[in-house]
């Protein structure tokens, strides 16, 4: 039931049309809930084996070619932990990606990065997957007069995909 609620909240976030500001309060609420569901007691392994304060640099790279979506998630995710973690996005929503292409660079503590990475990657993969499939449909149709719409029956399902389809 919690996963359904998270999914619904995520869908509501992407109702806004492209280039409109995303409400970071709701985004933070969604990400906090996802983190709490994924690791309610923190990352137990990291807490046991890793020292506090160890600074590292990490990169998120595209696992395969596609269309990226989720730029707003990256800095928002790390802002939940501290203001010291730095993120630099190298792509924008709607950009085409090649396999292995650098999406972003993150500088911060190893514990923070490891705690956030699984949830962040899950969101980025899901949202970019929707954008990629939509892009493939648009290219296959090759007709600007035809509009691709999200017409799923369940309102909560429809809301999630709307923003990625617009990108």
């Amino acid at each position: 039931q919690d996963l359904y609620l998270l999914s619904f909240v995520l869908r509501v976030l992407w109702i806004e049309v492209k280039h409109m500001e995303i409400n970071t309060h709701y985004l933070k609420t969604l990400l906090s809930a996802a983190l709490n569901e994924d690791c309610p007691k923190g990352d137990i392994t990291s807490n046991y084996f890793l020292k506090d304060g160890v600074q590292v640099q990490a990169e998120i790279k595209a696992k395969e070619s596609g269309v990226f979506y989720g730029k707003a998630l990256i800095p928002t995710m790390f802002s939940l932990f501290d203001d010291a973690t730095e993120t630099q996005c190298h792509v924008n929503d709607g950009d085409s990606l090649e396999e292995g292409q650098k999406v972003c660079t993150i500088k911060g503590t190893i514990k923070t990065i490891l705690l956030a990475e699984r949830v962040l990657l899950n969101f980025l993969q899901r949202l970019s997957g929707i954008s990629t499939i939509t892009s493939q449909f648009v290219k296959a149709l090759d007709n600007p007069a035809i509009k691709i719409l999200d017409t799923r029956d369940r309102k909560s399902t429809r809301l999630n995909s709307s923003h990625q389809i617009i990108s």
Side-chain angles (χ1 to χ4, degrees), residues 10 14 16 18 22 64-73 91-97 122-140 148 150 152 158-167:
L10 177 62
W14 306 124
E16 302 296 327
K18 189 174 182 182
I22 295 172
E64 57 189 45
S65 62
V67 177
F68 176 76
Y69 191 87
K71 183 176 180 177
L73 293 170
V91 295
N92 293 307
D93 292 336
D95 284 355
S96 294
L97 295 174
N122 284 341
F123 278 113
L124 293 177
Q125 289 172 343
R126 167 85 173 133
L127 299 174
S128 296
I130 293 168
S131 292
T132 300
I133 290 170
T134 303
S135 174
Q136 292 168 351
F137 288 147
V138 169
K139 287 176 187 171
I148 295 181
D150 186 4
R152 295 186 185 148
R158 182 175 5 144
L159 298 175
N160 183 35
S161 304
S162 298
H163 201 269
Q164 293 85 1
I165 288 171
I166 292 169
S167 350

Side-chain angles (χ1 to χ4, degrees), residues 10-58:
L10 177 62
R11 290 172 182 130
V12 170
L13 287 173
W14 306 124
I15 293 175
E16 302 296 327
V17 292
K18 189 174 182 182
H19 303 300
M20 292 188 77
E21 188 173 320
I22 295 172
N23 185 322
T24 46
H25 171 72
Y26 289 118
L27 193 52
K28 285 181 177 185
T29 301
L30 168 69
L31 293 171
S32 293
L35 283 166
N36 189 50
E37 181 180 304
D38 185 58
C39 43
K41 296 180 182 181
D43 186 345
I44 298 168
T45 304
S46 292
N47 289 338
Y48 186 78
F49 288 107
L50 301 174
K51 292 181 181 180
D52 289 333
V54 175
Q55 295 291 313
V56 297
Q57 177 173 311

Side-chain angles (χ1 to χ4, degrees), residues 143-162:
N143 183 343
I146 299 173
K147 303 290 182 198
I148 295 181
L149 303 173
D150 186 4
T151 58
R152 295 186 185 148
D153 293 335
R154 291 188 354 237
K155 184 176 182 181
S156 62
T157 303
R158 182 175 5 144
L159 298 175
N160 183 35
S161 304
S162 298

Side-chain angles (χ1 to χ4, degrees), residues 56-63 68-78 85-93 95-98 100-108 113 116-117 120-121 124-125 128:
V56 297
Q57 177 173 311
E59 295 177 347
I60 294 177
K61 293 185 177 184
K63 184 177 178 180
F68 176 76
Y69 191 87
K71 183 176 180 177
L73 293 170
I74 298 167
T76 305
M77 172 62 92
F78 291 102
T85 303
E86 299 174 23
T87 61
Q88 180 183 11
C89 294
H90 305 291
V91 295
N92 293 307
D93 292 336
D95 284 355
S96 294
L97 295 174
E98 297 299 323
Q101 182 178 344
K102 191 186 315 182
V103 172
C104 76
T105 303
I106 306 155
K107 295 179 184 177
I113 293 171
E117 60 92 16
L120 179 60
L121 291 176
L124 293 177
Q125 289 172 343
S128 296

